[in-house]
Amino acid sequence: MMIFKGSGVALATPFTENGIAYDTLEKLVEFQIENGTDALIACGTTGEPATMTDEEQRSVIECVVKASAGRIPVIAGVGGNNTAHVISCAKAAQAAGADGLLAVTPYYNKCTDAGLIAHFGALADATDLPIVIYNVPSRTGVNICASVYEKLCCHEKIAGIKEASGNISQVVETARLTRGKAALYSGNDDQVVPLLSLGGSGVISVVANIMPKYMHNMVMNYLNGKMKEASEMQLEINPLIQALFSEVNPIPIKTALRMMGFDMGPLRLPLTEMGDKTYNNLLAQMRQFGLCD
């Protein structure tokens, strides 16, 4: 039931002053597919769904599905802290043509381990789509421990794990307890090769917005036995990764896409534009990699 292997891009959403810039979104999808991305993730964290209406989220997923035209899988972000609402969004994503779901842990109101199991179990029962569970405790305040993953991955619809805890010891134990049950994806661009070494299947990447071919090649090099080449690529790109996370995502990646000529429009409050110091450092790194003038 693996949805994809390789590099999936956490697509940034281009906005207008009053809505979604669909023309630019279609261009982004084409840019990704032409450059080897293995899956498209619409309305993940990088897509700013927290500031979108339900209708905007549905329309973005529909646009990405239509633009991709079945060439690679489309995974729809549907996570939230109200299980009933998450299920409603999941059903809308299935109706829009998504191939899978990405669901973050419930945030703010939090829950116990039993609540995590009940929440994701209810979501998994609600549609026909495979699910990638997304663990990013720095944003949600909730962490999925390895033993909870083990229980969750017994459900046939839970097909993958996006691990962005940054805790390698936890990821090792998660990989041990879930191997053969769910695909493991890195949720941190600076830890792709380390997770691949634990049996991972790829990455759900922010950096792939601007370097899709590079991220695809790095993963495939490792999976095809070219481990040294993959490791060198991971080390080479680290300064750019640091620049892209020098302010909260997706502020820098949308700025970087603008530098490349994509009309990304405004960020939505409470996100604001980059400061001068971090902007200039990002610009220098983009030039270093030949991504802009």
Side-chain angles (χ1 to χ4, degrees):
M1 196 185 232
M2 184 184 295
I3 308 173
F4 77 97
K5 181 180 286 188
S7 174
V9 62
L11 274 172
T13 304
F15 293 130
T16 66
E17 290 296 334
N18 301 307
I20 311 297
Y22 295 104
D23 289 348
T24 302
L25 183 57
E26 290 171 359
K27 291 176 184 176
L28 291 171
V29 169
E30 201 60 37
F31 171 70
Q32 290 295 320
I33 293 175
E34 287 178 355
N35 286 280
T37 282
D38 300 288
L40 301 162
I41 293 82
C43 297
T45 303
T46 308
E48 296 176 81
T51 55
M52 289 188 205
T53 65
D54 287 355
E55 174 59 26
E56 284 178 326
Q57 290 185 45
R58 183 194 59 76
S59 67
V60 165
I61 295 164
E62 285 184 342
C63 179
V64 173
V65 167
K66 183 177 180 181
S68 63
R71 288 174 287 176
I72 57 175
V74 175
I75 301 170
V78 297
N81 62 346
N82 176 337
T83 305
H85 184 249
V86 172
I87 288 172
S88 175
C89 291
K91 290 179 177 178
Q94 179 170 327
D99 300 293
L101 304 173
L102 176 71
V104 74
T105 51
Y107 43 81
Y108 188 73
N109 50 4
K110 299 186 177 182
C111 58
T112 62
D113 288 348
L116 286 171
I117 293 167
H119 171 81
F120 285 114
L123 175 59
D125 289 336
T127 78
D128 299 323
L129 298 179
I131 297 168
V132 177
I133 297 171
Y134 179 17
N135 188 38
V136 56
S138 64
R139 284 183 178 267
T140 65
V142 178
N143 180 55
I144 305 178
C145 66
S147 61
V148 172
Y149 273 129
E150 182 181 25
K151 293 182 177 70
L152 287 171
C153 290
C154 289
H155 197 295
E156 63 179 2
K157 297 273 185 57
I158 294 179
I161 295 164
K162 179 185 177 184
E163 245 303 326
S165 67
N167 183 338
I168 292 295
S169 296
Q170 175 178 291
V171 176
V172 170
E173 183 65 0
T174 295
R176 183 182 76 85
L177 294 176
T178 63
R179 56 185 169 181
K181 297 178 181 177
L184 175 63
Y185 303 106
S186 176
N188 293 324
D189 283 297
D190 61 354
Q191 295 181 354
V192 181
V193 170
L195 264 72
L196 291 173
S197 74
L198 298 171
S201 297
V203 60
I204 294 178
S205 171
V206 174
V207 178
N209 277 280
I210 58 172
M211 296 186 74
K213 188 178 292 294
Y214 189 102
M215 297 304 292
H216 166 84
N217 288 345
M218 183 170 70
V219 174
M220 289 306 171
N221 275 343
Y222 192 95
L223 294 178
N224 291 328
K226 298 179 180 179
M227 299 173 186
K228 182 178 180 181
E229 290 90 336
S231 296
E232 288 298 325
M233 292 178 76
Q234 179 79 83
L235 297 176
E236 180 184 10
I237 202 173
N238 202 52
L240 176 60
I241 294 171
Q242 291 177 334
L244 287 167
F245 288 90
S246 59
E247 294 194 23
V248 67
N249 180 52
I251 294 172
I253 196 64
K254 293 192 83 170
T255 304
L257 284 163
R258 288 181 195 152
M259 291 174 181
M260 293 174 66
F262 290 102
D263 184 6
M264 299 305 293
L267 291 152
R268 288 183 172 178
L269 288 171
L271 298 186
T272 54
E273 299 299 327
M274 293 186 78
D276 290 342
K277 183 177 180 179
T278 49
Y279 178 93
N280 289 332
N281 180 52
L282 175 60
L283 180 59
Q285 288 299 324
M286 293 285 287
R287 287 171 171 165
Q288 183 73 24
F289 280 85
L291 296 169
C292 68
D293 297 330

